[in-house]
Amino acid sequence: ARDRQNTAVPDGSAVVERLWAKDPTLWSVDEDKHDSIEKRLGWLAAPAWLGDHIDELRKRVNKIRALNWQRVVLLGMGGSSLAPAVLAQIAATGSTSTRFEVLDSTHPDTVRRVTTHEDRANTLFLVSSKSGTTLEVMALWSYLDGLFRTDASAPNEPSRNFVAITDAGTPLEVLARERGFLDCFVNPPDVGGRFSALTYFGMVPAALLGFDLNQLLESVERQALSCQARTTETNNALLFGWSMGAYAAQGRNNLTLLLSPEIEPLGVWIEQLLAESTGKEGRGIIPIVNEPLQPLELYGKDRVFVAILAKKDDALMARCGDLESAGFPVLRLMTEDTKEIGGEFFRWEFATAVAGVAVGINPFDEPDVQRNKDTTALFLAGKKVPGQTALTPCIREGGLSLIGEPRQFQGLTRVAEGLSHLFKTTRPGDYIAILVWLDENEALHSQLESCRVHIREALGVPVTLGFGPRYLHSTGQLHKGGSSAGVFLQLTGAAREDIVIPGHDYSFEELHGAQADADLAVLSDLGRRVARGNLGQNPAQGLIEFSSVLEVALLS
């Protein structure tokens, strides 16, 4: 990369040695934090752990597969869902016949579409939660358990359709044992959620998807061996990790991922790993994923590019050359093909740990994530919370409304005026995050990507796109704990029909709404620049209207 002399590791040998020795002082001098850091470093032993458990894993999964499931659906959030989602997308390009879906939403329309299925009796549901108490996951299990118990066509033993993946001693493990789940996979306790791709959280889905586990293990072992090298010439994870952190410290904190098509699914997993690990204490690396290419002159000086290239991707290689010629730092990684996905998981975990050293933060905690969870609980209980005034409708126009702090839009009468006011706060070095609380589908994605392009071209800053509640377990930590560079536009709308959750005092629409409200309130209470666009009773039509209003706002 250009300017590498400004991002060189002061003592790469010492960093590697201390990291492998699990030395917590690499990330914090605060002795009170050392114990919690040490308890999150078990991912370094993932190659050995996987090697020890691979035969047992294969046997247990083969017993599960022998029941001839027509479909597999994983219920998970964040660290328990993103690695499986990557693996499922990669498997979909191969010869696998397994229909594998990830359900990581509480939107009633999404929940109904995935669970109301003619093959439900022949569907295996993976209930995946490290804590065993994840709000969304346990609500989804409760709903499905109720469906099976009232469905005359379902098997006599409804728990036969469930497999748990969790840590030892969690409420989910207890539930799985008591209810007689088909199986319960218990993970090593010293691996944090977003670093858990190479534990049962990622490997059970990998086995069910038909990945060659031995081949996957070999790729992990090769990468782990590379990560033991003491110099950046032979340890590219060390080079990348330190460079990403050092560039961020210099103001180039918008890290743009350029991925060859074969490896493109990895982007959303890297996004969580970097954002949740480094976005705290007013600092952080801001990952920009799945961004359409744009003219070089539209990129700001806050950009650094990371390219993961397949060997024959001449187009992306040429793009990297153009970016370097224009003066942008470009870090390149070569990958053989998707058979190396296990190694990529380990390489990026190692690089992220090194980036934490360079940025000067602890990459193994998520101090601001719990705040959103606590605020959600308060909303569900009907209690007033800090930042609640941000939920006040400020501008109504047709079926649309703009919601935020009343003083933010005082005197404005048009939604376009309000959006224009929000966007005019954008400065060089900022980014805009579109936070979507709608039923996720292909048509919606297409419209939102169009909005994303329009905003980026008009304002000249990176624009990210995330769906709630998924992003709460991914970039949500960065939004709240990172720098104040974010400008947030939340989009909400009504569901077609609500769903009751057995055993709970709230429905899925109420849960989904409380999560969105909590995120808006917390962002507002932190002084972030944020507003909500409510698309009304018909969100599909509302988004069309909103897109037109957005274009007007960007021209004013």
Side-chain angles (χ1 to χ4, degrees):
R2 287 177 176 268
D3 303 325
R4 187 172 294 167
Q5 68 274 12
N6 297 325
T7 59
V9 189
D11 189 345
S13 179
V15 170
V16 171
E17 182 178 354
R18 291 170 65 192
L19 204 159
W20 279 102
K22 301 182 179 180
D23 179 359
T25 64
L26 262 178
W27 299 283
S28 178
V29 296
D30 186 348
E31 292 185 2
D32 291 338
K33 296 181 180 180
H34 290 174
D35 184 59
S36 64
I37 292 173
E38 289 173 340
K39 290 179 178 178
R40 292 282 194 104
L41 292 170
W43 58 272
L44 286 163
W49 179 89
L50 184 55
D52 290 341
H53 290 80
I54 198 167
D55 289 337
E56 176 198 5
L57 171 60
R58 186 182 292 108
K59 290 177 182 176
R60 291 169 70 179
V61 169
N62 283 344
K63 286 181 66 176
I64 295 170
R65 295 180 74 179
L67 296 175
N68 296 318
W69 302 103
Q70 300 299 306
R71 196 169 65 122
V72 178
V73 175
L74 182 137
L75 316 177
M77 298 299 302
S80 64
S81 67
L82 288 172
V86 171
L87 294 165
Q89 289 182 63
I90 289 174
T93 65
S95 58
T96 181
S97 59
T98 303
R99 294 165 58 193
F100 193 106
E101 299 175 63
V102 172
L103 178 55
D104 57 355
S105 176
T106 53
H107 192 288
D109 297 344
T110 306
V111 173
R112 181 177 293 103
R113 186 175 62 255
V114 176
T115 60
T116 305
H117 200 282
E118 65 273 12
D119 286 335
R120 187 168 61 228
N122 295 310
T123 298
L124 175 69
F125 292 93
L126 304 179
V127 188
S128 188
S129 167
K130 177 176 172 62
S131 68
T133 59
T134 306
L135 180 65
E136 301 93 336
V137 175
M138 300 317 296
L140 290 166
W141 172 80
S142 294
Y143 172 60
L144 283 161
D145 181 63
L147 286 181
F148 279 118
R149 291 182 183 280
T150 57
D151 187 350
S153 65
N156 294 327
E157 299 178 7
S159 292
R160 166 187 179 274
N161 289 71
F162 296 106
V163 165
I165 309 174
T166 189
D167 280 7
T170 68
L172 177 55
E173 185 194 14
V174 174
L175 177 72
R177 307 296 188 199
E178 290 180 348
R179 291 295 187 93
F181 280 24
L182 189 58
D183 205 338
C184 180
F185 292 86
V186 177
N187 282 278
D190 56 350
V191 183
R194 59 186 174 275
F195 284 79
S196 64
L198 297 171
T199 68
Y200 285 135
F201 286 113
M203 295 301 97
V204 171
L208 287 167
L209 284 162
F211 278 81
D212 184 325
L213 295 182
N214 286 330
Q215 187 179 72
L216 195 151
L217 174 61
E218 289 168 4
S219 75
V220 176
E221 291 174 334
R222 284 193 295 272
Q223 193 55 239
L225 183 62
S226 173
C227 289
Q228 293 176 30
R230 305 300 180 89
T231 67
T232 54
E233 284 72 22
T234 50
N235 186 340
N236 51 38
L238 173 64
L239 169 64
F240 270 55
W242 194 271
S243 296
M244 290 187 297
Y247 279 127
Q250 295 171 12
R252 289 187 181 271
N253 60 346
N254 282 310
L255 186 144
T256 306
L257 286 168
L258 305 174
L259 307 178
S260 290
E262 300 94 317
I263 206 71
E264 190 171 309
L266 188 63
V268 293
W269 179 82
I270 295 175
E271 179 183 47
Q272 186 213 12
L273 189 64
L274 287 175
E276 196 168 48
S277 296
T278 69
K280 56 200 73 168
E281 298 181 21
R283 288 168 279 179
I285 297 169
I286 302 164
I288 313 297
V289 301
N290 299 325
E291 182 184 55
L293 298 178
Q294 59 184 319
L296 298 178
E297 60 270 17
L298 294 183
Y299 291 123
K301 294 182 180 179
D302 53 357
R303 297 266 193 164
V304 59
F305 294 85
V306 171
I308 307 180
L309 302 109
K311 283 191 174 181
K312 295 181 180 180
D313 194 345
D314 296 333
L316 183 51
M317 187 70 77
R319 179 69 174 180
C320 291
D322 292 341
L323 287 164
E324 284 186 320
S325 297
F328 292 100
V330 180
L331 302 166
R332 290 183 177 88
L333 281 175
M334 300 299 297
T335 186
E336 291 289 333
D337 53 33
T338 54
K339 295 176 182 177
E340 297 298 317
I341 187 62
E344 289 298 333
F345 284 143
F346 191 89
R347 169 155 59 185
W348 279 95
E349 289 171 355
F350 194 93
T352 300
V354 173
V357 181
V359 174
I361 52 88
N362 169 15
F364 305 111
D365 65 355
E366 48 286 321
D368 295 286
V369 171
Q370 188 61 43
R371 181 171 181 173
N372 221 89
K373 296 178 181 178
D374 294 342
T375 306
T376 297
L378 289 174
F379 272 118
L380 287 171
K383 297 179 180 179
K384 187 175 177 62
V385 301
Q388 192 164 6
T389 55
L391 303 176
T392 305
C394 298
I395 304 172
R396 296 184 187 276
E397 185 179 357
L400 303 178
S401 59
L402 199 63
I403 297 167
E405 286 283 356
R407 64 180 180 271
Q408 183 178 3
F409 304 115
Q410 189 172 7
L412 304 180
T413 60
R414 307 292 297 274
V415 172
E417 291 177 321
L419 290 173
S420 177
H421 178 79
L422 177 69
F423 292 145
K424 283 179 179 177
T425 67
T426 305
R427 306 176 296 266
D430 286 348
Y431 71 99
I432 290 176
I434 304 174
L435 310 176
V436 186
W437 292 82
L438 302 169
D439 178 28
E440 189 173 0
N441 56 65
E442 190 173 329
L444 182 70
H445 258 289
S446 178
Q447 288 177 284
L448 290 169
E449 285 294 348
S450 179
C451 292
R452 182 182 182 185
V453 169
H454 288 321
I455 295 172
R456 187 196 66 199
E457 290 178 348
L459 302 180
V461 298
V463 182
T464 66
L465 177 64
F467 277 80
R470 181 188 306 132
Y471 74 79
L472 296 179
H473 300 260
S474 176
T475 56
Q477 169 62 45
L478 172 72
H479 296 164
K480 301 171 184 69
S483 72
S484 59
V487 178
F488 303 97
L489 176 60
Q490 192 189 73
L491 296 177
T492 62
R496 287 192 294 271
E497 185 181 351
D498 201 1
I499 301 177
V500 173
I501 308 173
H504 291 68
D505 296 330
Y506 48 82
S507 66
F508 273 113
E509 188 167 25
E510 290 169 331
L511 172 56
H512 192 258
Q515 291 180 295
D517 288 349
D519 194 48
L520 185 65
V522 171
L523 287 169
S524 179
D525 192 47
L526 289 169
R528 300 301 195 234
R529 293 162 286 171
V530 58
R532 169 187 291 176
N534 186 281
L535 307 182
Q537 295 300 309
N538 185 343
Q541 179 60 37
L543 184 56
I544 295 173
E545 296 174 18
F546 185 85
S547 299
S548 299
V549 171
L550 177 65
E551 291 189 26
V552 174
L554 293 171
L555 291 173
S556 60

